Amino acid sequence: MIRAYKFVLRPTARQAIALDEMLRDHCSLYNGALQERRDAYRHGSKTTVRYGDQSAQLKEIRAFDLDHQGRWSFSSQQATLRRLDKAFASFFKRVKAGRAPGYPRFKGVGHFDTVIFPKDGDGCRWDSTPHGPQTRVRFQGVGHVRVHQHRSVRGRVKTIGVKREGNRWYVVLSCDQVPTAPLPGTGAVVGIDMGVKHFLTTSDGEHIANPRFLEAAADELAEAQRHLARFPKRTRQRTKKHRAAARKVARIHRKIRRQRLDHAHKTALTLVRDHDVIAHERLNTPSMVRAPKPKPDPKQPGAFLPNGAAAKAGLNRSILDAGWGGFLAILVNKAESAGRTVIAVDPRNTSRTCPSCGHSAKENRVTQAKFECTACGFAANADHVGATNVLNRAGLALCNAA
């Protein structure tokens, strides 16, 4: 298996300055390479610059700029150029597919926060002082940085990344050949139905409450955003108060994200420990949170009819706050590590089909929480019915596969 480990770094004041300079120089390299591609294409010859061309220039760039680009790892700079090349590849892929292109943008210093080292031992070294009392990671041009390692690293360290989040630094290890740790079998199977009122409902009838972390912090976040909006959006140099206001908004968002991840990890771990097979709906969250299309008024040219955009915006906010996609990804990873089986089934009509007689109709869903079959009169909680149908479809899928 491939797994990622993320640990907090404890750099000294001098090392923190060096890490900031490393990010700034990699950001400058990224923007310079992007500008070169733009200028080459705008030229009359319509020249296309690729990763190989720009990587071949690194040796000259490093020799010319010894105080900045010459300080850092050659491999990490190649990884930054590959990052730009990947952005262009995605851009052309979207153009061919007829979607919104999203041309690669220049990165501000505050929006370039990660540097990747493609190989352990090439410009970086994990556990660089193995005989010392503290775990350290060494980066070229920075030194041996202390790591707050809260758990053991398994497998072979393949790539190392250094990341800045606010005023904190993290090291991210990507490891392959990570051994599995299968849990003893329980003989239990379960289906889950994701929702907004309840975070999820199991086929056993258990409801997991939706913590609504964004809603809980909405007032504090709104106040911080109003304070930030008082400052000019485009300015050459932010004032001290402007930077403090931006940090406060970012800090609230980070707290919400961490709370959401913590809840997802704990819920997924409980499901994996208690069940051998877990079935869930195959959800397409981007399509679910898409804004409704405008409805032109045929009687008044240039006017539009109500399309429920305001109500849909509230529902979209609740769906994104629940974080279904992140939770399901975490569930799949934990199940793979524990030797469990996770099955994704077609979600269509799972909350409209009667588990007793099989009758499917829109009228069966009386309200958001109540299900009552119009054919046989079976009544139950709508989320419980959805979870039961998910489990039944998973059982059918397993039978067909067998």
Side-chain angles (χ1 to χ4, degrees):
M1 294 190 307
I2 298 176
R3 285 290 177 267
Y5 297 88
K6 185 177 179 180
F7 302 112
V8 178
L9 291 177
R10 306 291 189 194
T12 63
R14 187 171 295 178
Q15 289 173 341
I17 293 173
L19 288 170
D20 273 323
E21 292 174 350
M22 181 172 67
L23 280 186
R24 190 178 300 111
D25 290 338
H26 275 77
C27 178
S28 175
L29 177 66
Y30 182 95
N31 290 336
L34 174 57
Q35 185 64 51
E36 182 186 19
R37 291 195 179 212
R38 287 164 59 100
D39 292 343
Y41 187 75
R42 287 174 176 174
H43 191 265
S45 59
K46 298 286 184 181
T47 306
T48 300
V49 179
R50 304 187 184 279
Y51 162 75
D53 304 323
Q54 295 185 320
S55 179
Q57 301 173 25
L58 272 178
K59 187 175 180 180
E60 297 178 3
I61 294 173
R62 290 166 58 85
F64 177 77
D65 192 9
L66 291 174
D67 294 336
H68 295 280
Q69 300 297 340
R71 294 174 58 188
W72 315 116
S73 164
F74 189 92
S75 297
S76 67
Q77 292 172 329
Q78 286 182 317
T80 298
L81 294 179
R82 287 194 198 96
R83 177 177 170 180
L84 176 64
D85 190 64
K86 186 178 180 180
F88 270 97
S90 300
F91 162 71
F92 289 119
K93 185 178 179 180
R94 289 190 295 268
V95 170
K96 288 183 179 180
R99 293 181 289 167
Y103 190 82
R105 300 181 182 181
F106 292 102
K107 301 286 186 181
V109 176
H111 294 275
F112 192 96
D113 54 11
T114 305
V115 173
I116 300 296
F117 296 83
K119 184 180 178 181
D120 183 21
D122 187 0
C124 63
R125 171 65 69 184
W126 169 249
D127 199 9
S128 57
T129 56
H131 303 294
Q134 294 283 346
T135 304
R136 296 179 185 272
V137 58
R138 182 187 178 278
F139 299 112
Q140 179 178 329
V142 179
H144 301 270
V145 185
R146 189 160 63 92
V147 181
H148 179 71
Q149 186 180 357
H150 61 275
R151 60 171 175 162
S152 60
V153 175
R154 306 175 68 189
R156 181 175 65 94
V157 177
K158 195 171 182 182
T159 65
I160 299 177
V162 58
K163 184 176 184 180
R164 179 181 59 193
E165 291 185 6
N167 57 354
R168 284 193 174 189
W169 292 92
Y170 295 88
V171 60
V172 182
L173 310 177
S174 177
C175 302
D176 61 0
Q177 303 176 8
V178 179
T180 60
L183 295 175
T186 63
V189 296
V190 70
I192 59 175
D193 179 81
M194 310 299 298
V196 174
K197 182 178 181 181
H198 303 289
F199 179 70
L200 65 83
T201 302
T202 68
S203 55
D204 300 327
E206 180 185 1
H207 298 288
I208 305 297
N210 186 1
R212 301 179 186 273
F213 296 114
L214 180 61
E215 184 177 326
D219 293 339
E220 182 185 6
L221 180 61
E223 182 180 354
Q225 288 174 330
R226 282 195 296 268
H227 180 58
L228 178 61
R230 298 192 186 115
F231 298 95
K233 290 185 178 180
R234 297 187 179 275
T235 177
R236 279 187 171 273
Q237 186 68 33
R238 287 184 173 184
T239 63
K240 185 177 180 180
K241 290 183 178 180
H242 192 176
R243 292 194 299 270
R247 284 196 301 268
K248 185 174 182 179
V249 173
R251 185 170 62 249
I252 296 172
H253 279 295
R254 281 198 303 273
K255 181 180 178 181
I256 295 170
R257 183 176 69 252
R258 289 171 181 169
Q259 288 176 324
R260 192 178 291 134
L261 283 174
D262 180 70
H263 178 261
H265 276 284
K266 290 178 178 177
T267 305
L269 184 60
T270 302
L271 288 171
V272 168
R273 283 176 174 172
D274 296 342
H275 305 91
D276 289 346
V277 179
I278 305 166
H280 67 85
E281 300 166 296
R282 188 185 295 107
L283 299 177
N284 186 1
T285 307
S287 297
M288 296 174 68
V289 299
R290 192 172 296 159
K293 295 182 179 179
K295 294 182 179 180
D297 190 348
K299 298 180 180 179
Q300 298 181 11
F304 295 89
L305 298 173
N307 62 348
K312 187 66 169 62
L315 177 61
N316 292 349
R317 193 180 303 112
S318 299
I319 292 174
L320 294 174
D321 188 18
W324 297 340
F327 165 75
L328 293 177
I330 290 171
L331 177 65
V332 170
N333 290 336
K334 289 187 180 297
E336 181 186 8
S337 178
R340 306 302 202 200
T341 302
V342 175
I343 303 174
V345 302
D346 187 356
R348 286 178 293 184
N349 296 323
T350 51
S351 59
R352 297 178 179 180
T353 303
C354 178
S356 178
C357 67
H359 175 66
S360 179
K362 182 179 179 181
E363 292 75 18
N364 288 350
R365 188 76 178 263
V366 180
T367 62
Q368 184 67 23
K370 185 179 179 181
F371 178 92
E372 186 173 350
C373 181
T374 57
C376 68
F378 175 81
N381 179 272
D383 294 334
H384 185 201
V385 169
T388 304
N389 287 326
V390 167
L391 180 59
N392 293 338
R393 292 186 182 185
L396 182 60
L398 285 176
C399 291
N400 293 336

